[in-house]
Amino acid sequence: MSDRKPAGQFLDAAMELLRRVRDEEAEAVEAAGALLADTVERGGRLFAFGAGHSSLPAQDVVYRAGGLALMNLLAVPGVVGVDVTPATLGSALERVDGLAAAVLDTSPLRAGDVLVIVSLSGRNALPVEMALNARALGVKVIGVTSVAYATETRSRHTSGTFLKDHCDVVLDSKIAVGDAELTHDGVPAPFAPASTVVTSALMQAVLATTAGLLADRGADVPLLRSGNVDGGHDWNGRIMDDYADRIFYRR
């Protein structure tokens, strides 16, 4: 460990990862943003899914100030964050075969929609099957994952494949296997994960691209405003009414 304090080391590591995704994933971000913009213009619906801590970047783009109002969370009970007891149940459910099919069968997803799937490792059954089954329904899939896992770990899905193998667009977060940026002689394991910081930034970069493309095309850009600024609630209410057929978090 260098003389620099851990906080500075972590922030440096996070900024380097952000620089890498900015420079190396620009084309993929543009493609993902264009796919979302095309879908919005066609009247399609947008969904985001993530399990465990990978759910945090998915939640971050749903019903938030400055965000695209049309982004909906595809929630799987028991795997959204660590809000279940025991928290380890969520990790176990990610490995259950057939769960994704059951979720999609009861979801509003349909052909022509887009599903963004966030999974750091992309190796568990749930995200792999979610992508496979969504595409079989005619849904376009954007995967946000660390491609390194596909070369350094083994898939936990019966097909032996990873999330990245079943996507229309793949965004590589560049996170190293293990998701820990720092080590210390006095600490028994690597620590300081950066996946949430980087993946959330990638998600926001995609949606910023979407908003810009829609505006450049002269299309409506259904964005939400902060409820903590004057007029924000009224603005959001109008947006939700105008796009009620494509917004599911209000129901």
Side-chain angles (χ1 to χ4, degrees), residues 100-197:
V103 170
L104 289 173
D105 284 347
T106 57
S107 80
L109 271 165
R110 66 189 184 193
D113 293 344
V114 173
L115 174 61
V116 182
I117 300 177
V118 185
S119 175
L120 177 60
S121 72
R123 69 190 295 228
N124 289 312
L126 184 55
V128 173
E129 289 185 357
M130 192 73 78
L132 271 167
N133 292 353
R135 293 182 91 189
L137 292 172
V139 173
K140 296 292 187 180
V141 175
I142 297 170
V144 188
T145 187
S146 170
V147 173
Y149 278 84
T151 58
E152 299 180 37
T153 69
R154 295 171 62 183
S155 171
R156 290 183 174 136
H157 187 249
T158 54
S159 67
T161 61
F162 288 75
L163 169 62
K164 74 173 186 66
D165 299 316
H166 307 288
C167 299
D168 297 280
V169 180
V170 176
L171 299 172
D172 183 4
S173 64
K174 315 295 181 182
I175 300 295
V177 172
D179 192 15
E181 294 301 318
L182 304 183
T183 59
H184 190 290
D185 291 342
V187 179
F191 59 103
S195 61
T196 303
V197 173

Side-chain angles (χ1 to χ4, degrees), residues 185-220:
D185 291 342
V187 179
F191 59 103
S195 61
T196 303
V197 173
V198 176
T199 305
S200 291
L202 265 174
M203 295 285 280
Q204 294 296 347
V206 169
L207 292 182
T209 300
T210 301
L213 287 171
L214 288 171
D216 290 344
R217 297 172 184 178
D220 290 336

